[in-house]
Amino acid sequence: MSAVCSGTTILGLAAVLPAGVLNNEEIARRFGERETASAIKMSGIRERRVTGPRQHASDLALTAAERLIRNMGFDRSLIDLLVFVSQTPDYKIPTTASILHGKLGLRESCATFDVNQACSAYPYSLSIAHSMIASGIARYALILNADTLTKLIHPQDRSLVVLHGDGAAATIVGPCKDNEGLEGFILGTDGSRARHLLVPAGGSRLPCGPETKVERTDEAGCVRTDENLVMDGPAVFHFSVYKVPEVIRGALDKLGMTIDDVDTVILHQANK
């Protein structure tokens, strides 16, 4: 057990992108320049980083972690919590966090677990680290956020290829003076909309098999199988545009602040 500390802060950050690049020129060649121009214009994305067939989320996370520890000159023996946050883990069993723990050579008393989150992954992981440090369960947390969503997207799905790439980030969270550092979190869920973003096959409800590999083309010309990511773009866009500002206002109200008190707002949404 660590000493209870109510103040926590981000001590360091590092990010890693794979070398593979999927640019807008290739997108236009694949789907047609006219058809993809509006999607590219709306997203503001010029290129996407893409992993190779033998490169996975844990590989990116490991590189990010080693880079962060090296750049900070941080003593890895102080890390007593490792959280791997991803929807593209190495295996169903064991947790990818335990695999990364071994590769990083962390001490046996370090707690590890995976968290399955997508767009909300980073604030959720920060809230977990903050809570466990503030409660005295841990003192220094290593958060590894990594995803290789391109491996879940059919290469002929024109609705998703343009929006997604692969990458990883490593964060070390630790104690700080009270009333400094992370101010707080507002978390929430609308499970009624789960169908708007899912991979139908691969879990116990629909195991992978020959039938889940059958390709189908929808009315928009998007090709996918049941093993690929499916997204209702308009529904996700509507949720982001209308719900996220409401949550931001709620967070500011909770802290007794207004938007004029904020210098920077960082949003997770593929829309400039």
Side-chain angles (χ1 to χ4, degrees):
M1 294 287 289
S2 301
V4 175
C5 172
S6 61
T8 65
T9 191
I10 295 173
L11 299 175
L13 283 163
V16 168
L17 295 174
V21 174
L22 177 60
N23 57 35
N24 288 343
E25 288 72 22
E26 170 58 28
I27 294 285
R29 284 193 293 270
R30 189 180 302 183
F31 300 116
E33 188 169 346
R34 183 176 180 181
E35 290 79 2
T36 57
S38 59
I40 291 172
K41 180 180 179 180
M42 177 175 288
S43 71
I45 299 171
R46 294 187 297 272
E47 66 177 33
R48 301 130 204 93
R49 292 302 184 95
V50 180
T51 49
R54 295 185 179 181
Q55 189 178 35
H56 304 280
S58 68
D59 301 319
L60 299 178
L62 178 63
T63 302
E66 292 287 9
R67 178 178 296 176
L68 176 59
I69 291 170
R70 182 179 64 252
N71 290 348
M72 290 180 63
F74 194 82
D75 182 358
R76 69 184 67 207
S77 69
L78 296 176
I79 297 170
D80 48 12
L81 172 64
L82 188 158
V83 184
F84 178 70
V85 192
S86 177
Q87 293 199 312
T88 52
D90 285 11
Y91 308 102
K92 292 181 180 179
I93 299 173
T95 62
T96 305
S98 64
I99 296 171
L100 287 166
H101 171 275
K103 291 183 177 180
L104 287 166
L106 303 182
R107 65 189 192 187
E108 288 189 5
S109 58
C110 175
T112 68
F113 54 87
D114 286 5
V115 173
N116 184 336
Q117 286 288 349
C119 300
S120 58
Y122 197 63
Y124 263 86
S125 57
L126 281 180
S127 72
I128 292 169
H130 167 77
S131 300
M132 294 187 72
I133 294 171
S135 68
I137 295 175
R139 187 163 180 83
Y140 292 100
L142 174 61
I143 301 170
L144 300 178
N145 299 83
D147 263 305
T148 52
L149 283 179
T150 62
K151 297 183 184 299
L152 299 178
I153 297 171
H154 195 287
Q156 294 301 318
D157 188 339
R158 62 177 69 240
S159 68
L160 294 181
V161 170
V162 68
L163 297 177
H164 294 84
D166 303 328
T171 307
I172 290 180
V173 178
C176 68
K177 295 180 181 179
D178 292 348
N179 301 317
E180 294 184 6
L182 298 170
E183 295 281 354
F185 304 87
I186 290 182
L187 307 176
T189 306
D190 184 355
S192 67
R193 301 173 189 265
R195 67 188 183 281
H196 294 153
L197 188 64
L198 80 161
V199 178
S204 61
R205 187 169 295 276
L206 181 60
C208 292
E211 68 282 358
T212 65
K213 301 181 188 300
V214 176
E215 294 183 344
R216 294 182 297 276
T217 304
D218 66 14
E219 62 277 3
C222 300
V223 181
R224 63 177 70 96
T225 73
D226 285 335
E227 297 178 17
N228 296 130
L229 181 65
V230 181
M231 182 176 77
D232 184 334
V236 174
F237 175 82
H238 183 272
F239 177 86
S240 301
V241 170
Y242 289 96
K243 189 64 178 180
V244 172
E246 176 186 319
V247 175
I248 291 174
R249 285 191 291 269
L252 292 172
D253 289 343
K254 184 178 180 180
L255 295 169
M257 300 169 64
T258 70
I259 196 66
D260 294 330
D261 299 316
V262 179
D263 295 321
T264 304
V265 178
I266 302 174
L267 300 171
H268 183 102
Q269 166 66 12
N271 185 308
K272 64 179 179 179

